[in-house]
Coordinates of all heavy atoms in Angstrom, one line a residue:
M3 N 12.3 61.4 7.4 CA 11.9 62.6 6.7 C 10.4 62.5 6.2 O 10.0 61.4 5.7 CB 12.7 62.7 5.4 CG 12.5 64.0 4.6 SD 13.6 64.1 3.1 CE 15.2 64.5 3.8
S4 N 9.7 63.5 6.6 CA 8.2 63.4 6.2 C 7.9 63.5 4.7 O 8.9 63.9 3.9 CB 7.5 64.5 6.9 OG 7.7 65.8 6.3
D5 N 6.8 63.1 4.3 CA 6.4 63.2 2.9 C 6.5 64.7 2.4 O 7.0 64.8 1.2 CB 5.0 62.7 2.7 CG 4.9 61.1 2.8 OD1 6.0 60.5 2.9 OD2 3.8 60.7 3.1
E6 N 6.1 65.6 3.1 CA 6.2 67.1 2.7 C 7.7 67.4 2.5 O 8.0 68.1 1.6 CB 5.5 67.9 3.7 CG 4.0 67.8 3.6 CD 3.3 68.9 4.5 OE1 3.9 70.0 4.8 OE2 2.2 68.7 4.9
A7 N 8.5 67.0 3.5 CA 9.9 67.4 3.4 C 10.6 66.7 2.2 O 11.4 67.4 1.5 CB 10.6 67.0 4.7
T8 N 10.1 65.4 1.9 CA 10.7 64.7 0.8 C 10.3 65.4 -0.5 O 11.1 65.7 -1.4 CB 10.2 63.3 0.8 OG1 10.7 62.7 2.0 CG2 10.8 62.6 -0.4
R9 N 9.0 65.8 -0.5 CA 8.5 66.5 -1.7 C 9.2 67.9 -1.9 O 9.6 68.3 -3.0 CB 7.1 66.8 -1.6 CG 6.4 67.4 -2.7 CD 6.4 66.4 -3.9 NE 5.7 67.2 -4.9 CZ 5.6 66.8 -6.1 NH1 6.0 65.5 -6.4 NH2 5.0 67.5 -7.1
A10 N 9.5 68.7 -0.8 CA 10.1 69.8 -0.9 C 11.6 69.7 -1.4 O 12.1 70.5 -2.2 CB 10.1 70.6 0.5
E11 N 12.3 68.7 -0.9 CA 13.6 68.4 -1.2 C 13.7 67.9 -2.8 O 14.6 68.5 -3.5 CB 14.2 67.2 -0.5 CG 15.7 67.0 -0.6 CD 16.5 68.1 -0.1 OE1 15.9 69.0 0.6 OE2 17.8 68.1 -0.3
L12 N 12.7 67.3 -3.3 CA 12.6 66.8 -4.7 C 12.4 68.1 -5.4 O 13.0 68.3 -6.6 CB 11.5 65.8 -4.8 CG 11.4 65.2 -6.2 CD1 12.7 64.4 -6.6 CD2 10.2 64.2 -6.4
D13 N 11.5 69.0 -5.0 CA 11.3 70.3 -5.8 C 12.6 71.2 -5.8 O 12.8 71.8 -6.8 CB 10.1 71.1 -5.0 CG 8.8 70.5 -5.3 OD1 8.7 69.7 -6.3 OD2 7.9 70.9 -4.6
R14 N 13.3 71.1 -4.7 CA 14.6 71.9 -4.8 C 15.6 71.3 -5.9 O 16.2 72.1 -6.6 CB 15.3 71.7 -3.4 CG 16.6 72.6 -3.3 CD 17.2 72.3 -1.9 NE 17.8 71.1 -1.6 CZ 19.0 70.7 -2.1 NH1 19.8 71.5 -2.6 NH2 19.5 69.5 -1.7
Y15 N 15.6 69.9 -5.9 CA 16.4 69.4 -7.1 C 15.9 69.6 -8.4 O 16.7 70.0 -9.3 CB 16.6 67.8 -6.9 CG 17.4 67.4 -5.7 CD1 16.9 66.8 -4.6 CD2 18.8 67.7 -5.8 CE1 17.7 66.5 -3.6 CE2 19.6 67.4 -4.7 CZ 19.0 66.8 -3.6 OH 19.8 66.4 -2.5
F16 N 14.6 69.7 -8.5 CA 14.0 70.2 -9.9 C 14.4 71.6 -10.2 O 14.8 71.9 -11.3 CB 12.4 70.0 -9.8 CG 11.9 68.7 -10.4 CD1 11.2 68.0 -9.5 CD2 12.1 68.4 -11.6 CE1 10.7 66.7 -10.0 CE2 11.6 67.2 -12.2 CZ 10.8 66.4 -11.3
L17 N 14.3 72.5 -9.2 CA 14.7 73.8 -9.5 C 16.1 74.1 -9.9 O 16.5 74.7 -10.7 CB 14.3 74.7 -8.2 CG 12.8 74.9 -8.0 CD1 12.6 75.6 -6.7 CD2 12.2 75.7 -9.2
W18 N 17.0 73.3 -9.1 CA 18.4 73.4 -9.5 C 18.7 72.9 -10.9 O 19.4 73.5 -11.6 CB 19.2 72.5 -8.4 CG 20.6 72.6 -8.7 CD1 21.5 73.6 -8.3 CD2 21.5 71.6 -9.3 NE1 22.7 73.4 -8.6 CE2 22.7 72.1 -9.3 CE3 21.2 70.4 -10.0 CZ2 23.9 71.4 -10.0 CZ3 22.3 69.7 -10.7 CH2 23.5 70.2 -10.6
I19 N 18.1 71.7 -11.3 CA 18.3 71.2 -12.7 C 17.8 72.3 -13.6 O 18.4 72.5 -14.7 CB 17.6 69.9 -12.8 CG1 18.4 68.8 -12.0 CG2 17.5 69.5 -14.3 CD1 17.8 67.5 -11.9
E20 N 16.5 72.8 -13.4 CA 15.9 73.8 -14.3 C 16.9 75.0 -14.5 O 17.0 75.5 -15.6 CB 14.7 74.3 -13.8 CG 13.5 73.3 -13.9 CD 12.2 73.7 -13.2 OE1 12.1 74.9 -12.9 OE2 11.3 73.0 -13.0
Q21 N 17.6 75.4 -13.5 CA 18.5 76.5 -13.6 C 19.8 76.2 -14.3 O 20.4 76.9 -14.9 CB 18.8 77.0 -12.2 CG 17.7 77.7 -11.4 CD 18.0 78.0 -10.0 OE1 18.9 77.6 -9.5 NE2 17.0 78.6 -9.3
Q22 N 20.2 74.8 -14.2 CA 21.4 74.4 -14.9 C 21.3 74.1 -16.3 O 22.2 74.3 -17.2 CB 21.9 73.0 -14.3 CG 22.2 73.3 -12.8 CD 23.3 74.3 -12.5 OE1 24.2 74.4 -13.1 NE2 22.9 75.2 -11.5
L23 N 20.0 73.9 -16.8 CA 19.7 73.7 -18.2 C 19.7 75.0 -19.0 O 19.4 76.0 -18.4 CB 18.4 73.0 -18.3 CG 18.2 71.5 -17.8 CD1 16.8 71.1 -17.8 CD2 19.1 70.7 -18.7
P24 N 19.9 74.9 -20.3 CA 19.6 76.1 -21.1 C 18.1 76.6 -20.9 O 17.3 75.7 -20.5 CB 19.8 75.6 -22.5 CG 20.7 74.4 -22.4 CD 20.4 73.8 -21.1
E25 N 17.9 77.8 -21.1 CA 16.6 78.5 -20.7 C 15.4 77.7 -21.2 O 14.4 77.4 -20.6 CB 16.5 79.9 -21.1 CG 15.3 80.6 -20.7 CD 15.3 82.1 -21.0 OE1 16.4 82.6 -21.4 OE2 14.2 82.7 -20.9
R26 N 15.5 77.4 -22.6 CA 14.3 76.8 -23.2 C 14.1 75.4 -22.6 O 13.0 75.0 -22.4 CB 14.7 76.6 -24.8 CG 13.6 76.1 -25.5 CD 13.9 76.2 -27.0 NE 12.7 75.6 -27.6 CZ 12.5 75.7 -28.9 NH1 13.5 76.3 -29.7 NH2 11.4 75.2 -29.5
L27 N 15.2 74.6 -22.3 CA 15.0 73.3 -21.8 C 14.5 73.4 -20.4 O 13.7 72.5 -19.9 CB 16.3 72.5 -21.9 CG 16.7 72.0 -23.2 CD1 18.1 71.3 -23.1 CD2 15.7 71.1 -23.8
G28 N 14.9 74.3 -19.6 CA 14.5 74.6 -18.3 C 13.0 74.9 -18.3 O 12.2 74.4 -17.4
R29 N 12.5 75.7 -19.2 CA 11.1 76.1 -19.3 C 10.3 74.7 -19.6 O 9.1 74.6 -19.1 CB 10.9 77.0 -20.4 CG 11.1 78.4 -19.8 CD 10.6 79.5 -20.7 NE 10.8 79.2 -22.2 CZ 11.6 80.0 -22.9 NH1 12.1 81.1 -22.5 NH2 11.8 79.7 -24.3
I30 N 10.8 73.8 -20.5 CA 10.1 72.6 -20.8 C 10.0 71.7 -19.6 O 8.9 71.2 -19.4 CB 10.8 72.0 -22.0 CG1 10.8 72.7 -23.4 CG2 10.3 70.5 -22.2 CD1 11.6 72.2 -24.4
L31 N 11.1 71.7 -18.8 CA 11.0 70.8 -17.6 C 10.0 71.4 -16.7 O 9.2 70.7 -16.0 CB 12.3 70.8 -17.0 CG 12.5 69.8 -15.7 CD1 12.1 68.4 -16.0 CD2 13.9 69.9 -15.2
H32 N 10.0 72.7 -16.5 CA 9.0 73.3 -15.7 C 7.6 73.1 -16.1 O 6.7 72.8 -15.3 CB 9.3 74.8 -15.5 CG 8.4 75.6 -14.6 ND1 8.6 75.5 -13.3 CD2 7.3 76.4 -14.9 CE1 7.6 76.3 -12.7 NE2 6.8 76.7 -13.7
W33 N 7.4 73.1 -17.4 CA 6.1 72.9 -18.0 C 5.6 71.5 -17.8 O 4.6 71.2 -17.4 CB 6.2 73.2 -19.5 CG 5.0 72.8 -20.3 CD1 3.9 73.5 -20.4 CD2 4.9 71.8 -21.3 NE1 2.9 72.9 -21.2 CE2 3.6 71.8 -21.8 CE3 5.7 70.8 -21.6 CZ2 3.2 70.8 -22.8 CZ3 5.3 69.9 -22.5 CH2 4.0 69.9 -23.1
L34 N 6.6 70.5 -17.8 CA 6.3 69.1 -17.6 C 5.8 68.8 -16.2 O 5.1 67.9 -16.0 CB 7.5 68.2 -17.9 CG 7.7 67.8 -19.3 CD1 9.0 67.0 -19.5 CD2 6.6 66.8 -19.7
R35 N 6.4 69.7 -15.3 CA 6.0 69.5 -13.9 C 4.6 69.9 -13.4 O 4.2 69.7 -12.4 CB 7.0 70.1 -13.0 CG 8.4 69.5 -13.1 CD 9.4 70.1 -12.2 NE 9.0 70.1 -10.9 CZ 9.2 71.2 -10.0 NH1 9.7 72.2 -10.4 NH2 8.7 71.1 -8.8
Q36 N 3.9 70.5 -14.4 CA 2.6 71.0 -14.1 C 1.5 69.9 -13.9 O 1.7 68.8 -14.5 CB 2.0 72.0 -15.2 CG 2.9 73.2 -15.5 CD 3.2 74.0 -14.2 OE1 2.2 74.3 -13.5 NE2 4.5 74.3 -13.9
P37 N 0.6 70.1 -12.9 CA -0.2 68.9 -12.6 C -0.9 68.3 -13.8 O -1.2 67.0 -13.9 CB -1.2 69.4 -11.6 CG -0.5 70.7 -11.0 CD 0.4 71.1 -12.1
W38 N -1.3 69.2 -14.8 CA -2.2 68.6 -15.9 C -1.4 67.9 -17.0 O -1.9 67.4 -18.0 CB -3.0 69.8 -16.5 CG -2.1 70.9 -17.1 CD1 -1.5 71.0 -18.2 CD2 -1.8 72.0 -16.4 NE1 -0.8 72.1 -18.3 CE2 -0.9 72.7 -17.2 CE3 -2.0 72.6 -15.1 CZ2 -0.3 74.0 -16.7 CZ3 -1.5 73.7 -14.7 CH2 -0.6 74.4 -15.5
M39 N 0.0 67.8 -16.7 CA 0.8 67.2 -17.8 C 1.2 65.7 -17.5 O 2.2 65.2 -17.9 CB 2.1 68.0 -17.8 CG 2.0 69.4 -18.4 SD 1.0 69.5 -20.0 CE 2.1 68.6 -21.0
L40 N 0.4 65.1 -16.8 CA 0.5 63.6 -16.4 C 1.0 62.7 -17.5 O 2.0 62.1 -17.4 CB -0.6 63.1 -15.6 CG -0.5 61.7 -15.3 CD1 0.6 61.3 -14.3 CD2 -1.8 61.1 -14.7
L41 N 0.1 62.8 -18.6 CA 0.5 61.8 -19.8 C 1.8 62.3 -20.4 O 2.6 61.3 -20.8 CB -0.7 61.9 -20.7 CG -2.0 61.2 -20.1 CD1 -3.0 61.4 -21.3 CD2 -1.8 59.8 -19.7
A42 N 2.1 63.4 -20.5 CA 3.4 63.8 -21.1 C 4.5 63.5 -20.3 O 5.5 63.0 -20.6 CB 3.3 65.4 -21.4
R43 N 4.3 63.7 -18.9 CA 5.4 63.3 -17.9 C 5.7 61.8 -18.0 O 6.8 61.4 -18.0 CB 5.0 63.7 -16.5 CG 5.5 64.8 -16.0 CD 5.3 65.0 -14.5 NE 4.1 64.6 -13.9 CZ 3.0 65.5 -13.9 NH1 3.1 66.6 -14.3 NH2 1.9 65.0 -13.3
I44 N 4.6 61.0 -18.1 CA 4.8 59.5 -18.1 C 5.6 59.2 -19.5 O 6.6 58.4 -19.5 CB 3.5 58.9 -18.2 CG1 3.0 58.9 -16.7 CG2 3.7 57.3 -18.5 CD1 1.5 58.5 -16.6
A45 N 5.2 59.7 -20.6 CA 5.8 59.5 -21.9 C 7.3 59.9 -21.9 O 8.1 59.1 -22.3 CB 5.1 60.1 -23.0
V46 N 7.5 61.1 -21.5 CA 8.9 61.7 -21.4 C 9.9 60.8 -20.5 O 11.0 60.5 -20.9 CB 8.9 63.2 -21.0 CG1 10.3 63.6 -20.7 CG2 8.2 64.0 -22.2
S47 N 9.4 60.5 -19.3 CA 10.1 59.8 -18.3 C 10.4 58.4 -18.9 O 11.6 57.9 -18.8 CB 9.4 59.7 -17.1 OG 8.2 59.0 -17.1
I48 N 9.5 57.7 -19.6 CA 9.7 56.4 -20.1 C 10.8 56.5 -21.3 O 11.7 55.7 -21.3 CB 8.5 55.7 -20.7 CG1 7.6 55.3 -19.4 CG2 8.7 54.6 -21.5 CD1 6.3 54.9 -19.8
L49 N 10.7 57.5 -22.1 CA 11.6 57.7 -23.2 C 13.1 58.1 -22.5 O 14.0 57.6 -23.2 CB 11.2 58.9 -24.2 CG 10.0 58.5 -25.0 CD1 9.5 59.7 -25.7 CD2 10.3 57.4 -26.0
L50 N 13.1 58.8 -21.7 CA 14.4 59.1 -21.0 C 15.1 58.0 -20.4 O 16.3 57.7 -20.6 CB 14.2 60.2 -19.9 CG 14.1 61.7 -20.3 CD1 13.7 62.5 -19.2 CD2 15.3 62.2 -21.0
I51 N 14.3 57.1 -19.7 CA 14.9 55.9 -19.0 C 15.3 54.9 -20.1 O 16.3 54.3 -20.1 CB 13.8 55.3 -18.1 CG1 13.6 56.2 -16.9 CG2 14.2 53.8 -17.7 CD1 12.4 55.8 -16.0
I52 N 14.6 54.8 -21.2 CA 14.9 53.8 -22.2 C 16.2 54.4 -23.0 O 17.1 53.7 -23.2 CB 13.7 53.6 -23.3 CG1 12.7 52.8 -22.7 CG2 14.2 53.0 -24.5 CD1 11.3 52.7 -23.5
G53 N 16.2 55.7 -23.2 CA 17.4 56.4 -23.8 C 18.6 56.2 -22.9 O 19.7 55.9 -23.4
G54 N 18.4 56.2 -21.6 CA 19.5 55.9 -20.7 C 20.1 54.6 -20.7 O 21.2 54.4 -20.5
V55 N 19.2 53.7 -20.9 CA 19.7 52.2 -21.1 C 20.6 52.0 -22.3 O 21.5 51.3 -22.2 CB 18.4 51.2 -21.2 CG1 18.8 49.9 -21.6 CG2 17.7 51.3 -19.9
F56 N 20.3 52.9 -23.3 CA 21.2 52.8 -24.6 C 22.2 53.9 -24.5 O 22.5 54.4 -25.6 CB 20.3 52.9 -25.8 CG 19.4 51.8 -26.0 CD1 18.1 51.9 -25.7 CD2 19.8 50.5 -26.4 CE1 17.1 50.8 -25.8 CE2 19.0 49.5 -26.6 CZ 17.6 49.6 -26.2
A57 N 22.8 54.1 -23.3 CA 23.8 55.1 -23.2 C 25.0 55.0 -24.0 O 25.8 55.8 -24.2 CB 24.2 55.2 -21.8
F58 N 25.3 53.7 -24.5 CA 26.4 53.5 -25.4 C 26.3 54.2 -26.7 O 27.3 54.3 -27.5 CB 26.7 52.0 -25.6 CG 25.5 51.2 -26.2 CD1 25.4 51.1 -27.5 CD2 24.6 50.7 -25.4 CE1 24.4 50.4 -28.1 CE2 23.5 50.0 -25.9 CZ 23.4 49.8 -27.2
L59 N 25.1 54.5 -27.2 CA 24.9 55.2 -28.5 C 25.3 56.8 -28.3 O 25.1 57.4 -27.2 CB 23.5 55.1 -28.9 CG 23.0 53.7 -29.2 CD1 21.5 53.6 -29.3 CD2 23.7 53.1 -30.3
P60 N 25.6 57.4 -29.4 CA 25.9 58.7 -29.3 C 24.7 59.6 -29.0 O 23.5 59.2 -29.2 CB 26.3 59.2 -30.8 CG 26.6 57.9 -31.5 CD 25.9 56.8 -30.7
V61 N 24.8 60.7 -28.3 CA 23.7 61.6 -27.8 C 23.1 61.1 -26.5 O 22.8 61.9 -25.7 CB 22.7 62.0 -29.0 CG1 21.8 63.0 -28.5 CG2 23.5 62.5 -30.2
L62 N 22.8 59.8 -26.5 CA 22.1 59.3 -25.4 C 23.0 59.0 -24.2 O 24.4 59.0 -24.5 CB 21.5 58.0 -25.7 CG 20.4 57.9 -26.9 CD1 19.9 56.6 -27.2 CD2 19.3 59.0 -26.6
G63 N 22.7 59.1 -23.0 CA 23.6 58.9 -21.9 C 23.0 58.4 -20.7 O 21.8 58.5 -20.5
F64 N 23.8 58.0 -19.8 CA 23.3 57.5 -18.5 C 22.6 58.6 -17.7 O 21.6 58.3 -16.9 CB 24.5 57.1 -17.7 CG 24.0 56.5 -16.3 CD1 23.4 55.2 -16.2 CD2 24.2 57.2 -15.1 CE1 22.9 54.7 -15.1 CE2 23.8 56.6 -14.0 CZ 23.1 55.3 -13.9
W65 N 22.9 59.9 -18.0 CA 22.1 61.0 -17.4 C 20.7 61.0 -17.5 O 19.9 61.5 -16.7 CB 22.7 62.3 -17.8 CG 22.5 62.6 -19.2 CD1 23.4 62.3 -20.3 CD2 21.4 63.1 -19.9 NE1 22.8 62.5 -21.4 CE2 21.6 63.1 -21.2 CE3 20.2 63.7 -19.4 CZ2 20.7 63.7 -22.2 CZ3 19.2 64.2 -20.3 CH2 19.6 64.1 -21.7
M66 N 20.3 60.3 -18.6 CA 18.7 60.3 -18.9 C 18.0 59.4 -17.8 O 16.8 59.7 -17.6 CB 18.7 59.7 -20.3 CG 19.2 60.5 -21.3 SD 19.2 59.8 -23.0 CE 17.7 60.4 -23.5
I67 N 18.7 58.5 -17.2 CA 17.9 57.5 -16.3 C 17.5 58.3 -15.0 O 16.3 58.3 -14.7 CB 18.7 56.4 -16.0 CG1 18.8 55.3 -17.3 CG2 18.2 55.4 -14.8 CD1 19.8 54.2 -17.1
P68 N 18.4 59.1 -14.3 CA 18.0 59.7 -13.1 C 16.9 60.8 -13.5 O 16.0 61.0 -12.7 CB 19.3 60.4 -12.6 CG 20.4 59.7 -13.2 CD 19.9 59.1 -14.4
L69 N 17.1 61.4 -14.5 CA 16.1 62.5 -14.9 C 14.7 62.0 -15.2 O 13.7 62.4 -14.7 CB 16.6 63.4 -16.2 CG 15.7 64.5 -16.6 CD1 15.6 65.5 -15.3 CD2 16.3 65.2 -17.8
G70 N 14.7 60.8 -15.9 CA 13.5 60.1 -16.1 C 12.8 59.6 -14.9 O 11.6 59.8 -14.7
L71 N 13.7 59.1 -14.0 CA 13.1 58.7 -12.6 C 12.5 59.8 -11.8 O 11.5 59.7 -11.2 CB 14.2 57.9 -11.9 CG 14.5 56.4 -12.4 CD1 15.7 55.9 -11.6 CD2 13.4 55.6 -12.3
M72 N 13.3 60.9 -11.9 CA 12.9 62.1 -11.2 C 11.6 62.7 -11.7 O 10.7 63.1 -10.9 CB 14.0 63.2 -11.3 CG 13.9 64.3 -10.3 SD 15.3 65.3 -10.6 CE 14.9 66.7 -9.5
I73 N 11.4 62.6 -13.0 CA 10.1 63.2 -13.5 C 9.0 62.3 -13.3 O 8.0 62.8 -12.8 CB 10.3 63.3 -15.1 CG1 11.2 64.5 -15.4 CG2 8.9 63.6 -15.7 CD1 11.6 64.5 -16.9
I74 N 9.2 61.0 -13.2 CA 8.0 60.1 -12.9 C 7.8 60.0 -11.4 O 6.7 59.7 -11.1 CB 8.3 58.7 -13.5 CG1 6.9 57.8 -13.6 CG2 9.3 57.9 -12.8 CD1 5.9 58.4 -14.5
A75 N 8.8 60.3 -10.6 CA 8.7 60.3 -9.2 C 7.7 61.3 -8.7 O 7.2 61.2 -7.6 CB 10.0 60.5 -8.4
Q76 N 7.5 62.4 -9.5 CA 6.5 63.4 -9.1 C 5.2 62.7 -8.9 O 4.3 63.3 -8.2 CB 6.5 64.5 -10.2 CG 5.5 65.6 -9.9 CD 5.8 66.9 -10.8 OE1 6.7 66.9 -11.5 NE2 4.9 67.7 -10.7
D77 N 4.8 61.7 -9.7 CA 3.6 61.1 -9.6 C 3.5 59.7 -8.8 O 2.5 59.2 -8.6 CB 3.0 60.8 -11.1 CG 2.9 62.1 -11.9 OD1 2.2 63.1 -11.3 OD2 3.5 62.2 -12.9
L78 N 4.8 59.3 -8.5 CA 4.9 58.0 -7.8 C 5.5 58.2 -6.5 O 6.8 58.1 -6.4 CB 5.7 57.0 -8.6 CG 5.1 56.6 -10.0 CD1 5.9 55.7 -10.8 CD2 3.6 56.0 -9.8
P79 N 4.7 58.5 -5.4 CA 5.4 58.8 -4.1 C 6.4 57.9 -3.5 O 7.3 58.2 -2.9 CB 4.2 59.0 -3.2 CG 2.9 59.3 -4.0 CD 3.3 58.6 -5.4
F80 N 6.2 56.5 -3.9 CA 7.1 55.6 -3.3 C 8.5 55.7 -3.9 O 9.4 55.2 -3.3 CB 6.6 54.1 -3.6 CG 6.6 53.7 -5.0 CD1 7.6 53.0 -5.6 CD2 5.4 53.8 -5.8 CE1 7.6 52.6 -6.9 CE2 5.4 53.4 -7.1 CZ 6.5 52.9 -7.7
L81 N 8.6 56.4 -5.0 CA 10.0 56.6 -5.6 C 10.6 57.8 -5.1 O 11.8 58.0 -5.2 CB 9.9 56.8 -7.1 CG 10.0 55.6 -8.0 CD1 9.7 56.0 -9.5 CD2 11.1 54.8 -7.8
Q82 N 9.9 58.8 -4.4 CA 10.4 60.0 -4.0 C 11.5 59.9 -2.9 O 12.6 60.5 -3.0 CB 9.3 61.0 -3.4 CG 8.4 61.4 -4.7 CD 7.2 62.2 -4.2 OE1 7.0 62.4 -3.0 NE2 6.4 62.6 -5.2
K83 N 11.3 59.2 -1.9 CA 12.2 59.1 -0.8 C 13.6 58.4 -1.2 O 14.6 58.9 -1.0 CB 11.7 58.3 0.4 CG 10.7 59.1 1.3 CD 10.2 58.4 2.5 CE 9.3 59.3 3.2 NZ 8.9 58.7 4.4
P84 N 13.5 57.2 -1.9 CA 14.8 56.7 -2.4 C 15.6 57.6 -3.4 O 16.8 57.7 -3.3 CB 14.4 55.4 -3.1 CG 13.0 55.1 -2.7 CD 12.4 56.4 -2.2
L85 N 14.8 58.3 -4.2 CA 15.4 59.2 -5.1 C 16.1 60.4 -4.5 O 17.2 60.8 -4.8 CB 14.4 59.7 -6.3 CG 14.9 60.1 -7.6 CD1 15.7 58.9 -8.2 CD2 13.8 60.4 -8.5
V86 N 15.4 60.9 -3.5 CA 15.9 62.0 -2.7 C 17.2 61.6 -2.0 O 18.2 62.3 -1.9 CB 14.9 62.7 -1.7 CG1 15.6 63.6 -0.7 CG2 13.9 63.5 -2.6
R87 N 17.1 60.4 -1.4 CA 18.3 59.9 -0.7 C 19.5 59.7 -1.6 O 20.7 60.0 -1.3 CB 17.9 58.6 0.0 CG 17.4 58.8 1.3 CD 17.2 57.5 2.2 NE 15.8 57.2 2.3 CZ 15.3 56.2 1.8 NH1 15.9 55.2 1.3 NH2 14.0 55.9 2.1
L88 N 19.2 59.2 -2.8 CA 20.3 59.1 -3.8 C 20.9 60.4 -4.2 O 22.0 60.5 -4.2 CB 19.7 58.3 -5.1 CG 20.6 58.2 -6.2 CD1 21.9 57.2 -5.9 CD2 20.0 57.7 -7.5
F89 N 20.0 61.4 -4.4 CA 20.5 62.7 -4.8 C 21.3 63.3 -3.6 O 22.4 64.1 -3.8 CB 19.4 63.6 -5.2 CG 18.9 63.3 -6.6 CD1 17.5 63.5 -6.8 CD2 19.7 62.8 -7.6 CE1 16.9 63.0 -8.0 CE2 19.1 62.5 -8.8 CZ 17.8 62.5 -9.1
Q90 N 20.9 63.2 -2.3 CA 21.7 63.7 -1.3 C 23.0 63.1 -1.2 O 24.0 63.7 -0.8 CB 20.9 63.5 0.1 CG 19.6 64.4 0.2 CD 18.7 64.0 1.3 OE1 18.7 63.0 1.8 NE2 17.9 65.0 1.7
W91 N 22.9 61.7 -1.3 CA 24.2 60.9 -1.3 C 25.2 61.4 -2.4 O 26.4 61.6 -2.1 CB 23.9 59.4 -1.5 CG 25.2 58.6 -1.5 CD1 26.0 58.2 -0.4 CD2 25.8 58.1 -2.7 NE1 27.0 57.5 -0.9 CE2 27.0 57.4 -2.2 CE3 25.5 58.3 -4.1 CZ2 27.8 56.9 -3.2 CZ3 26.4 57.7 -5.0 CH2 27.6 57.0 -4.5
S92 N 24.6 61.6 -3.6 CA 25.5 62.1 -4.7 C 26.0 63.5 -4.5 O 27.2 63.9 -4.7 CB 24.9 61.9 -6.0 OG 23.7 62.7 -6.0
E93 N 25.2 64.4 -3.8 CA 25.6 65.7 -3.5 C 26.8 65.6 -2.5 O 27.7 66.4 -2.6 CB 24.4 66.5 -2.8 CG 23.9 67.5 -3.7 CD 22.9 68.3 -2.9 OE1 22.1 67.8 -2.0 OE2 22.6 69.4 -3.4
R94 N 26.6 64.8 -1.4 CA 27.8 64.7 -0.4 C 29.0 64.1 -1.1 O 30.1 64.7 -0.8 CB 27.4 63.7 0.7 CG 26.4 64.3 1.8 CD 26.3 63.5 3.0 NE 25.9 62.1 2.6 CZ 24.5 61.7 2.5 NH1 23.6 62.5 2.6 NH2 24.4 60.4 2.2
K95 N 28.9 63.2 -2.0 CA 30.0 62.6 -2.7 C 30.7 63.6 -3.5 O 32.0 63.7 -3.5 CB 29.8 61.3 -3.4 CG 29.4 60.1 -2.5 CD 30.5 59.7 -1.7 CE 30.2 58.6 -0.9 NZ 31.3 58.2 0.1
W96 N 29.9 64.4 -4.2 CA 30.4 65.5 -5.1 C 31.2 66.5 -4.3 O 32.3 66.9 -4.6 CB 29.3 66.1 -5.9 CG 29.8 67.2 -6.8 CD1 29.6 68.5 -6.6 CD2 30.5 67.0 -8.1 NE1 30.2 69.2 -7.6 CE2 30.7 68.3 -8.5 CE3 30.9 66.0 -8.8 CZ2 31.4 68.6 -9.7 CZ3 31.6 66.2 -9.9 CH2 31.8 67.5 -10.4
A97 N 30.7 66.9 -3.1 CA 31.2 67.9 -2.2 C 32.7 67.3 -1.7 O 33.6 68.0 -1.6 CB 30.4 68.2 -1.1
D98 N 32.6 66.1 -1.3 CA 33.8 65.4 -0.7 C 34.9 65.4 -1.9 O 36.1 65.6 -1.6 CB 33.6 63.9 -0.3 CG 32.7 64.0 1.0 OD1 32.6 65.0 1.6 OD2 32.2 62.9 1.3
W99 N 34.5 65.1 -3.1 CA 35.4 64.9 -4.2 C 36.0 66.2 -4.5 O 37.2 66.3 -4.9 CB 34.6 64.3 -5.4 CG 35.6 64.0 -6.6 CD1 36.5 63.0 -6.8 CD2 35.6 64.9 -7.8 NE1 37.1 63.2 -7.9 CE2 36.6 64.4 -8.6 CE3 35.0 66.0 -8.2 CZ2 37.0 64.9 -9.8 CZ3 35.3 66.6 -9.4 CH2 36.3 66.0 -10.2
R100 N 35.2 67.3 -4.6 CA 35.7 68.6 -4.9 C 36.6 69.2 -3.9 O 37.4 70.1 -4.1 CB 34.5 69.6 -5.0 CG 33.7 69.2 -6.3 CD 32.7 70.3 -6.6 NE 33.4 71.6 -6.9 CZ 32.6 72.7 -7.0 NH1 31.3 72.6 -6.8 NH2 33.3 73.8 -7.2
S101 N 36.6 68.8 -2.5 CA 37.5 69.3 -1.5 C 38.6 68.5 -1.3 O 39.1 67.7 -2.0 CB 36.7 69.4 -0.2 OG 36.2 68.1 0.2

């Protein structure tokens, strides 16, 4: 998969997540993805990953780790391919489980 195809696939997952979130949270995620929001993206992704590590606490959860990795992957190309492969694998497993 080329870098452009990987980036397009990652964008597809971002759009899907934005649509699944409540409208306000989807707008925040869209806002974070803007090129000039680099420092905010770094801070939010680190907080999400740390929050995911403490998933045993109320409100926090494991779901925070993939979202944090996904947000930071926008700026770290070496994370994009493995993350897209992980999301593709989980999509296939979800489809198998549902059928």
